[in-house]
Amino acid sequence: MFHLWVTLVSLCIYAIAQRHHHISEQHQEALISVSADFTFDTNSQIPLSEEPWTSKYGAQNDLGYSGPLSFSHFSYRKCLEDASAPFDIGIIGFPFDTTTSYRPGARFGPYAIRSGSRRQSLGAGRGYTLAWGSSPSDFGSSLLDCGDVPISAYDNAKAIDQMEAAYSTLLSRPVFGGTSEVYKEKTRAFSLDGKEHPRIVTLGGDHTIVLPILRSLHKVYGPVSVIHFDAHLDTWPPKGTTAQEGITHGSFFAVAAEEGLLTNTSIHAGIRCKMLGIEDMQHDDTVGFQVISAEDIDDYGIKKVIEKIRERIRDKPVYLSLDIDVVDPGQAPATGTPEVGGWTTREVKRILRGLSGLNFVGADIVEVAPAYDNAEITGIAAADIVHDFLSMMLVDEPPQPHNGPFSNIDLVS
């Protein structure tokens, strides 16, 4: 009798389960059917202009502190999987920090820089400055935020390959070709294939991200010169018991030189780190760099610093890499290897203006680690420097000084 009851109960449970499964399938089919057939033309179905909000206040514009997070409120696409929006200059984030030697955290740099850019609102047309006498949007280039690359946090070899693949992908995309008649091509003259290529501004990430970037650029332009703003040389010989261990944010330029990615006419700006000795400088010379120290700005002045950088680069294709630690930690504390005695943000911005007109093929800002920040001052500084990158890459020559109540005879010699 007991076995009969067990059998009956089992049959009942099975029947209930089957009926539930059948109902569930019908429900899913109904949802799929609704999703497939559901279309709704809001423009014709809903009188937006008559609704309380639109009739009184108009468009739902983002404020400086609202809306989706993109650099300076640019249009945003995940460009690696969406090629529907061509661009002339793209912003890409490389959230990578697993080759740092001291404080990690720069994987959050792209987020912090975008957050620091919110008040700029260049994407909404607010980009004119007295220092430049123009806005990056004045030059007819299509500007787009391409999101972040999903980089492995566990395998450095894979991460470096991912960054190279991502950068090469964007670099090979067709350019938008300008939004107005003032647009000018910038890279066709020295690209190996004779084509115009997009230019990328990369938000790091620790400084090792430059190695895969240089590998990508080499495929399009051959060896390039580098203008390197940093407190540190980053040309130390690779060390370690494995090849991958030797690639760090302090050795990547040496690796790039060994691979033939650099010309012999690169230059550092803002160096002030501790070294083992003069042999570090001697090795740096073999990698192809000249050095402008942080103190040189006091001894020779900003104009001479600009002049010497331009003399070193001349008309070669050039990549600009800026480690935020070139700025004094009193003004940009959120970085992995801070060094006192750095340049001010105003000095860095002034030098960048003076480099306008060089043949830039790309730029980056790296080593922003917001966990060490205070009131977002480093993220805001980094974002403003990226704004300068855009103008620097678009204008044909350094802007003229602002006049106001002054004349040229009043200029500091």
Side-chain angles (χ1 to χ4, degrees):
M1 189 69 178
F2 176 75
H3 292 293
L4 179 61
W5 278 109
V6 170
T7 302
L8 288 172
V9 170
S10 299
L11 288 173
C12 289
I13 292 173
Y14 177 76
I16 293 170
Q18 286 295 100
R19 177 167 176 75
H20 177 76
H21 178 70
H22 180 68
I23 293 171
S24 178
E25 284 186 334
Q26 288 181 324
H27 181 64
Q28 288 178 0
E29 289 174 0
L31 285 176
I32 292 171
S33 176
V34 169
S35 298
D37 298 335
F38 186 76
T39 57
F40 202 70
D41 184 353
T42 56
N43 291 326
S44 61
Q45 299 287 338
I46 298 177
L48 291 176
S49 62
E50 300 174 12
E51 290 185 320
W53 172 266
T54 308
S55 63
K56 292 180 69 175
Y57 300 110
Q60 185 181 345
N61 296 318
D62 292 331
L63 303 174
Y65 45 84
S66 69
L69 185 61
S70 67
F71 182 82
S72 199
H73 296 273
F74 281 12
S75 295
Y76 180 95
R77 293 286 193 283
K78 291 185 176 181
C79 295
L80 298 179
E81 64 180 27
D82 181 0
S84 65
F87 54 90
D88 299 309
I89 297 180
I91 305 287
I92 189 73
F94 279 6
F96 171 82
D97 66 358
T98 50
T99 57
T100 53
S101 58
Y102 193 49
R103 302 193 302 195
R107 69 182 63 183
F108 299 104
Y111 171 83
I113 297 168
R114 287 189 178 97
S115 182
S117 76
R118 288 174 298 176
R119 188 172 172 273
Q120 292 180 11
S121 300
L122 178 57
R126 188 170 180 264
Y128 180 92
T129 66
L130 289 177
W132 284 100
S134 63
S135 166
S137 60
D138 292 342
F139 300 94
S141 287
S142 174
L143 310 174
L144 182 68
D145 190 329
C146 287
D148 291 339
V149 180
I151 298 169
S152 173
Y154 311 106
D155 184 332
N156 283 352
K158 178 181 178 180
I160 289 174
D161 183 66
Q162 288 175 315
M163 288 185 277
E164 182 180 351
Y167 203 93
S168 294
T169 296
L170 300 183
L171 204 57
S172 66
R173 292 278 174 82
V175 296
F176 185 87
T179 60
S180 70
E181 66 279 357
V182 299
Y183 168 78
K184 294 181 181 179
E185 292 186 340
K186 294 290 186 178
T187 63
R188 184 189 297 271
F190 40 86
S191 64
L192 299 179
D193 60 6
K195 297 179 180 179
E196 181 74 4
H197 289 266
R199 291 183 291 174
I200 313 297
V201 175
T202 310
L203 314 179
D206 80 47
H207 220 150
T208 305
I209 71 168
V210 176
L211 178 59
I213 290 173
L214 291 174
R215 287 171 174 170
S216 296
L217 290 170
H218 186 265
K219 301 169 192 174
V220 175
Y221 302 108
V224 298
S225 299
V226 173
I227 300 172
H228 175 222
F229 286 80
D230 205 317
H232 312 91
L233 297 171
D234 294 350
T235 57
W236 282 280
K239 295 180 180 180
T241 57
T242 67
Q244 194 59 48
E245 189 181 8
I247 299 176
T248 73
H249 71 163
S251 67
F252 65 93
F253 275 136
V255 176
E258 290 174 2
E259 295 181 7
L261 309 180
L262 303 176
T263 66
N264 200 41
T265 55
S266 296
I267 190 165
H268 302 293
I271 301 298
R272 61 186 187 280
C273 62
K274 308 296 189 296
M275 305 182 197
L276 293 174
I278 194 63
E279 58 267 26
D280 285 349
M281 293 295 297
Q282 293 167 342
H283 180 264
D284 184 76
D285 185 64
T286 68
V287 178
F289 281 85
Q290 281 185 346
V291 176
I292 294 174
S293 74
E295 291 74 22
D296 287 342
I297 204 168
D298 300 316
D299 296 329
Y300 303 104
I302 287 179
K303 288 185 178 180
K304 278 297 179 182
V305 168
I306 294 169
E307 178 183 316
K308 293 303 178 183
I309 295 174
R310 297 187 71 97
E311 285 179 2
R312 179 70 167 171
I313 303 301
R314 296 189 182 277
D315 60 354
K316 301 178 185 67
V318 60
Y319 182 80
L320 191 147
S321 182
L322 190 146
D323 188 324
I324 197 65
D325 71 22
V326 73
V327 178
D328 188 85
Q331 295 190 3
T335 191
T337 47
E339 303 279 357
V340 300
W343 289 344
T344 66
T345 48
R346 188 173 71 247
E347 288 167 339
V348 170
K349 287 165 63 63
R350 177 66 185 86
I351 295 170
L352 292 174
R353 293 200 300 276
L355 301 180
S356 302
L358 296 176
N359 290 323
F360 289 106
V361 296
D364 68 67
I365 187 161
V366 296
E367 301 287 357
V368 175
Y372 317 111
D373 213 355
N374 178 51
E376 293 188 282
I377 59 173
T378 310
I380 292 170
D384 210 72
I385 288 170
V386 172
H387 186 279
D388 287 331
F389 284 172
L390 298 173
S391 290
M392 177 192 74
M393 296 166 71
L394 290 168
V395 303
D396 293 330
E397 59 185 4
Q400 294 299 309
H402 168 248
N403 291 129
F406 308 103
S407 66
N408 288 340
I409 62 173
D410 298 316
L411 289 171
V412 176
S413 59

